[in-house]
Amino acid sequence: MDSNLAIALSTPVRRKSLQARVVWGGRVVTVGGDAPVRLQSMTNTDTADAIGTAIQVKELALAGSEIVRITVNTPEAAQAVPYVREQLDRMGVDVPLCGDFHFNGHRLLTDYPECAKALSKYRINPGNVGKGDKRDKQFSQMIEAAVRWDKPVRIGVNWGSLDQELLASLMDDNSRRTVPWDARPVMYEALITSAIESAQRAEAIGMDPSQIILSCKVSGVQDLVAVYRELARRCSYALHLGLTEAGMGTKGTVASAVALGVLLQEGIGDTIRVSLTPAPGESRSQEVVVASEIIQALGLRHFVPSVTACPGCGRTTSTTFQELTQQIDDFLRAKMPEWRESFPGVENLKVAVMGCIVNGPGESKHADIGISLPGTGEVPAAPVFIDGEKRMTLRGDTIAADFQAVVEGYIQRRFGAGATPLQL
């Protein structure tokens, strides 16, 4: 094989970072080191509503989120955190919770120790822990709570709430350069400096460096790539990736996929969150779906069976293949919470739903199980290919239901306990 092609086909080489442990009960989620890239998400409920928050956390966890962040911004929210944890434990949801603290986190973690204990991780924003002399004291109080309760922290810098004193100092330093930088690189430097110096301060207080995770979130794709490349070069802490305020729908999805995809392909990133603004009535778990699709598209992990489907053309005036693709995709996702336990390895399944004879049989043969539906003017028959061989032909008005049953039967035979080769 040509050496250049071999390089092009290689899996991204992960940056070697320190490894943190996020724990709740018997659940240990490792972050960084040799651990896989982890999925995170965040609730948008009022945490003081313990029941509503627990329900949304469960929804996010079932969608695949491995750590869920909740807002802890008031005494009422802090008091509710243990009850959120209790409700989740009653429902059998052992996902770790990360408390998101701003402005008053030092007081909440001190005044409500049950909240501090119930959380598995704290998020601290060094840009708003306090000003002047209060900043170091209040930051120290939060780190001391993390050390006391043996919790990892994410020191999360955000350019929307950057430490203005630090930024002003760096701007002054820049003005004295022989050739001053543009304003944007100074902003990058402020983000990176804030994160690394805060981590070093946490270590000086007594925090184990392996329990520190850093993030430097911005809302521009090129800005995020530039900041994280430099951050990764200058430290070995585990890194959390996210394009902050990514936006709604297609815009937020595409921007997040591009930014995170570039960095993950370069081996940068240990946890990710896709910060989508939900459309009215849209499930919060959509951000988890997009995040998992980004990681799966890069071949870093598999979360749900992949469905290959043709885009359609003049040969496919029927919408049957579109409807079947949607049904199969929805069916697989809905079943995954159950199948993860019953059918280990099912997330690696490849399904093809094709619309005509041109590429249909070929793509179906490349998949584990595939169907080639008839295009315009073709014989109303749909051959089904299993493990590269044609095994049957479906006909009639029940093709969709019949194929779904074939898929489920294949999964049970291939991935179930004591699985044996499929016999049809």
Side-chain angles (χ1 to χ4, degrees):
M1 178 183 290
D2 181 87
S3 60
N4 292 329
L5 180 59
I7 292 171
L9 294 175
S10 64
T11 301
V13 177
R14 292 281 303 285
R15 160 186 172 269
K16 191 67 174 178
S17 61
L18 299 173
Q19 187 175 83
R21 298 170 72 252
V22 185
V23 181
W24 180 257
R27 175 87 177 272
V28 179
V29 178
T30 53
V31 174
D34 295 325
V37 178
R38 298 297 187 182
L39 294 180
Q40 293 197 33
S41 59
M42 186 175 184
T43 59
N44 60 359
T45 56
D46 180 354
T47 306
D49 174 10
I51 298 297
T53 299
I55 290 171
Q56 191 174 85
V57 171
K58 179 180 179 180
E59 178 187 3
L60 292 166
L62 289 176
S65 186
E66 294 164 296
I67 301 170
V68 177
R69 184 157 48 115
I70 61 175
T71 299
V72 188
N73 59 336
T74 63
E76 293 76 16
Q79 290 173 321
V81 168
Y83 297 102
V84 174
R85 182 73 267 172
E86 181 182 328
Q87 290 298 322
L88 290 169
D89 292 343
R90 286 179 178 175
M91 293 187 289
V93 180
D94 60 358
V95 65
L97 297 176
C98 174
D100 190 60
F101 294 97
H102 297 276
F103 307 108
N104 59 353
H106 59 291
R107 291 202 306 271
L108 298 177
L109 285 170
T110 301
D111 295 347
Y112 300 95
E114 293 305 312
C115 165
K117 287 191 290 184
L119 293 168
S120 297
K121 177 184 171 188
Y122 309 153
R123 186 278 174 110
I124 303 172
N125 184 341
N128 56 32
V129 295
K131 295 182 179 180
D133 295 339
K134 290 183 178 180
R135 181 176 62 243
D136 289 350
K137 178 182 178 182
Q138 292 173 181
F139 179 83
S140 296
Q141 285 180 276
M142 299 181 76
I143 296 300
E144 287 164 0
V147 172
R148 181 182 312 121
W149 302 113
D150 191 24
K151 308 292 185 179
V153 299
R154 172 160 72 89
I155 296 175
V157 182
N158 191 304
W159 74 350
S161 52
L162 188 56
D163 182 340
Q164 293 302 302
E165 293 178 18
L166 172 62
L167 180 59
S169 175
L170 290 174
M171 287 290 191
D172 289 342
D173 291 343
N174 183 56
S175 68
R176 291 188 287 270
R177 288 190 171 94
T178 304
V179 181
W181 297 351
D182 292 335
R184 191 165 292 266
V186 179
M187 175 75 77
Y188 295 168
E189 182 62 26
L191 288 161
I192 295 165
T193 298
S194 178
I196 293 178
E197 288 188 352
S198 296
Q200 292 170 341
R201 190 176 300 123
E203 285 191 56
I205 294 168
M207 193 86 198
D208 188 324
S210 68
Q211 290 293 77
I212 297 172
I213 300 163
L214 298 186
S215 67
C216 288
K217 289 192 173 184
V218 298
S219 57
V221 171
Q222 296 292 0
D223 298 311
L224 192 81
V225 172
V227 167
Y228 271 89
R229 281 174 174 164
E230 182 63 13
L231 181 63
R233 188 185 70 81
R234 285 163 56 174
C235 75
S236 59
Y237 301 109
L239 301 181
H240 171 74
L241 302 185
L243 190 72
T244 191
E245 289 93 37
M248 294 183 73
T250 302
K251 185 269 181 185
T253 298
V254 172
S256 295
V258 171
L260 273 57
V262 168
L263 291 167
L264 291 169
Q265 181 66 22
E266 294 179 3
I268 298 171
D270 300 291
T271 68
I272 72 168
R273 181 199 171 198
V274 173
S275 301
L276 294 180
T277 303
E282 182 179 54
S283 170
R284 185 69 167 180
S285 63
Q286 182 63 19
E287 69 176 50
V288 184
V289 173
V290 173
S292 64
E293 291 285 2
I294 292 170
I295 294 176
Q296 186 156 321
L298 289 167
L300 295 172
R301 297 180 68 183
H302 289 84
F303 300 95
V304 297
S306 62
V307 179
T308 300
C310 71
C313 67
R315 285 178 169 269
T316 55
T317 53
S318 168
T319 60
T320 302
F321 79 98
Q322 297 168 325
E323 295 161 359
L324 180 57
T325 300
Q326 184 67 59
Q327 289 174 14
I328 290 296
D329 197 61
D330 291 346
F331 170 68
L332 295 173
R333 289 188 182 279
K335 284 286 191 177
M336 276 308 294
E338 170 192 336
W339 285 350
R340 282 191 190 101
E341 302 297 326
S342 303
F343 304 118
V346 69
E347 65 275 7
N348 295 302
L349 181 71
K350 295 181 180 180
V351 180
V353 180
M354 302 301 293
C356 80
I357 198 170
V358 174
N359 292 318
E363 282 286 358
S364 296
K365 289 177 182 177
H366 289 311
D368 295 308
I369 181 168
I371 186 170
S372 178
L373 295 164
T376 305
E378 294 176 12
V379 175
V384 174
F385 297 83
I386 297 176
D387 295 330
E389 297 181 5
K390 181 180 174 181
R391 296 296 185 91
M392 65 183 72
T393 299
L394 302 180
R395 294 180 173 85
D397 298 329
T398 60
I399 286 179
D402 293 344
F403 183 65
Q404 186 168 298
V406 171
V407 171
E408 187 159 24
Y410 178 85
I411 288 170
Q412 292 172 348
R413 291 179 176 87
R414 178 173 170 183
F415 299 102
T420 56
L422 187 66
Q423 298 294 325
L424 292 173

